[in-house]
Amino acid sequence: MKTIYNSIKDKVAKHPKVQDSILGTVDEWKRSHYIILSEIIKEELALSEELKSDKRFELGNTISHITLQRFFESDYQDKTHNDLRFLKTLDKICIFLGFKDLNSYIHDSKENQILEEKVSSSVFSVDIVYQYCSAVFNLYKSFPTLKIELFQELVFDNSPFLERASAFSKELCERQFELVTKNNRSNFEVFDVNIVTDEPDKKILETQEFWNLVFKAGENGEEHFVNQLNTQIYFIRKIDNVWKIWDNYNPDAGRLNNKN
């Protein structure tokens, strides 16, 4: 309830009627400001459809400046703020904010929180794939020096994925592969990222990726080309409250290693 209590304070301060008054121009409200706030709320409640019924007699349509000052300047306490009279005050404040009552405000806040968490989860999942592909490209640019540490924040240390990536990257470094980046000869693109599975401790993503890479190898500078569009599957896990990539299915992984 403390979170809801503080959220209501914030919403009141940001209300258009409040922002358009002198209250929107000062950082700290004094007694005189709460008198103004009381009048603003009174005017809005007088126009509210919610209070054009018996509810008006139950709740009233005013909030004293003393009550408002106590509400804004006091920290939340279960005993005080679960008092019936104070809950009625919160009902009126929530009506001022455009809701039916306090319960309606709480319900709306919870729904928005769930939506924000889902959106945040989706953004995070897509972003980690872009970050990983960028790290892969930087890994290739560092060849023939092997910089597996580029994956440290993105891939679990003990994962089968990191083990495979380390093995075939090490082989390419030993063969003196160097990525050709002049005139943008090497590049990549990630698109159509879809979340296949979204669970509390596991996410599976499917992507379409285009890799256009040119490597030269050895003293003679023999060129090796990668030009492929493929579907990849990323398995992302949550371990010890940390999200990272655990495994990946790439049908063309190790393709260069298999060439003579």
Side-chain angles (χ1 to χ4, degrees), residues 69-86:
Q69 188 167 3
R70 190 182 304 125
F71 169 62
F72 273 88
E73 294 183 353
S74 301
D75 291 329
Y76 177 83
Q77 296 177 357
D78 287 333
K79 184 177 180 180
T80 303
H81 297 113
N82 282 322
D83 177 85
L84 180 60
R85 288 172 299 175
F86 191 76

Side-chain angles (χ1 to χ4, degrees), residues 49-162:
E49 292 294 329
E50 291 296 331
L51 293 178
K52 289 184 178 178
S53 61
D54 292 342
K55 202 175 202 179
R56 178 171 184 169
F57 299 101
E58 177 189 345
L59 296 178
N61 65 344
T62 63
I63 305 175
S64 74
H65 71 275
I66 295 173
T67 300
L68 288 170
Q69 188 167 3
R70 190 182 304 125
F71 169 62
F72 273 88
E73 294 183 353
S74 301
D75 291 329
Y76 177 83
Q77 296 177 357
D78 287 333
K79 184 177 180 180
T80 303
H81 297 113
N82 282 322
D83 177 85
L84 180 60
R85 288 172 299 175
F86 191 76
L87 292 176
K88 287 185 176 181
T89 295
L90 290 181
D91 274 334
K92 285 185 282 188
I93 293 176
C94 289
I95 291 171
F96 166 69
L97 294 174
F99 296 88
K100 183 178 179 180
D101 51 24
L102 173 61
N103 285 334
S104 175
Y105 182 87
I106 293 172
H107 179 73
D108 184 78
S109 296
K110 287 182 177 179
E111 283 196 337
N112 284 337
Q113 182 181 1
I114 292 171
L115 178 61
E116 287 173 3
E117 287 174 353
K118 286 182 177 179
V119 170
S120 177
S121 174
S122 298
V123 170
F124 152 76
S125 302
V126 171
D127 188 54
I128 197 172
V129 170
Y130 283 106
Q131 288 185 56
Y132 167 73
C133 290
S134 180
V136 170
F137 194 68
N138 287 329
L139 176 77
Y140 292 155
K141 289 199 294 185
S142 72
F143 281 5
T145 302
L146 182 59
K147 294 186 177 180
I148 291 297
E149 64 271 17
L150 290 170
F151 297 144
Q152 186 173 6
E153 300 299 320
L154 303 168
V155 182
F156 282 111
D157 288 340
N158 59 341
S159 65
F161 183 27
L162 187 62

Side-chain angles (χ1 to χ4, degrees), residues 247-258:
D247 211 345
N248 159 274
Y249 171 69
N250 176 2
D252 297 307
R255 175 179 169 185
L256 283 169
N257 305 66
N258 298 326

Side-chain angles (χ1 to χ4, degrees), residues 18-61:
V18 175
Q19 285 293 305
D20 289 342
S21 73
I22 191 173
L23 303 182
T25 65
V26 293
D27 295 328
E28 186 177 351
W29 293 349
K30 304 295 184 181
R31 178 179 176 276
S32 60
H33 296 117
Y34 289 107
I35 293 174
I36 295 171
L37 179 61
S38 176
E39 287 300 315
I40 291 173
I41 292 176
K42 178 183 176 181
E43 290 176 5
E44 288 298 299
L45 292 181
L47 301 173
S48 172
E49 292 294 329
E50 291 296 331
L51 293 178
K52 289 184 178 178
S53 61
D54 292 342
K55 202 175 202 179
R56 178 171 184 169
F57 299 101
E58 177 189 345
L59 296 178
N61 65 344

